[in-house]
């Protein structure tokens, strides 16, 4: 690795996908999934969120004392390595499968694209981000993806 590449890999621009939790939540709030929060252990960093016929265990990015059991809107966020994307040739069936406690794979349609993130409708909307440059993506494309653990959850009030 050259010195220039090493410096780029350490830069805050490369390591950061968000400026703050609130900024990220505000930017993607319209893509929050509707579902049900289940009771959690006092002070637990995980929220149990049921949506689109799935139960997700999400790392709670908005604080362990904000989430209350019942109906909720939660922004689901996953990090994907560049090698874990696969462009599909056309429409497919949306899938979203949990792997282990907080990792997922799925197939869905891209409904929003930004610099290092996109939103995929895969039974539920999920914001997918990468620390590496994304492949060329356009709204309407279909992709297959696999996230790294853990999935993150941002609770909307």
């Amino acid at each position: 690795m050259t010195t220039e590449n090493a410096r780029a890999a350490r830069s805050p621009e490369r390591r950061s996908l968000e400026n703050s939790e609130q900024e990220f939540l505000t930017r993607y709030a319209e893509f929050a999934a509707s579902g049900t929060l289940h009771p959690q252990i006092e002070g637990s960093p995980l929220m149990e969120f049921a949506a689109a016929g799935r139960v997700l265990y999400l790392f709670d990015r908005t604080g362990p004392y904000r989430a209350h059991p019942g109906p909720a809107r939660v922004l689901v966020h996953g990090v994907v390595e560049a090698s874990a994307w696969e462009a599909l040739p056309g429409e497919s069936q949306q899938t979203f499968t949990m792997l282990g406690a907080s990792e997922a794979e799925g197939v869905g349609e891209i409904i929003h694209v930004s610099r290092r993130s996109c939103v995929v409708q895969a039974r539920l909307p999920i914001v997918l981000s990468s620390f590496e440059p994304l492949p060329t993506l356009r709204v309407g494309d279909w992709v297959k993806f696999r996230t790294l653990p853990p999935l993150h959850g941002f609770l909307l009030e």
Side-chain angles (χ1 to χ4, degrees):
M1 180 182 284
T2 68
T3 303
E4 185 176 313
N5 289 342
R7 190 177 305 118
R10 289 190 310 265
S11 75
E13 174 74 14
R14 168 134 167 80
R15 293 182 311 213
S16 177
L17 295 173
E18 61 193 44
N19 293 324
S20 71
E21 290 85 359
Q22 188 57 47
E23 180 271 335
F24 190 83
L25 181 59
T26 300
R27 183 179 339 146
Y28 294 106
E30 68 182 287
F31 303 109
S34 294
T36 304
L37 278 175
H38 295 278
Q40 64 191 71
I41 297 171
E42 171 92 18
S44 172
L46 293 180
M47 64 172 89
E48 185 176 345
F49 180 61
R54 304 289 182 264
V55 175
L56 292 73
Y57 292 92
L58 306 171
F59 180 71
D60 187 351
R61 295 295 306 278
T62 50
Y65 297 104
R66 288 189 50 206
H68 301 287
R73 294 193 59 229
V74 174
L75 179 63
V76 179
H77 178 236
V79 174
V80 179
E81 291 180 334
S83 62
W85 295 91
E86 181 183 338
L88 301 177
E91 287 190 29
S92 190
Q93 181 173 352
Q94 292 181 18
T95 63
F96 187 86
T97 304
M98 292 301 298
L99 307 170
S102 190
E103 180 179 2
E105 67 181 6
V107 171
E109 181 180 9
I110 296 174
I111 59 174
H112 177 81
V113 177
S114 60
R115 190 170 56 97
R116 286 201 316 225
S117 299
C118 70
V119 182
V120 175
Q121 180 64 43
R123 295 185 53 102
L124 64 120
I126 179 170
V127 179
L128 298 173
S129 301
S130 177
F131 289 105
E132 305 164 29
L134 292 174
T136 301
L137 303 170
R138 294 183 325 264
V139 170
D141 287 349
W142 283 75
V143 293
K144 181 176 182 180
F145 63 88
R146 182 175 181 147
T147 67
L148 298 169
L151 289 174
H152 292 201
F154 295 79
L155 179 64
L156 274 77
E157 290 193 75

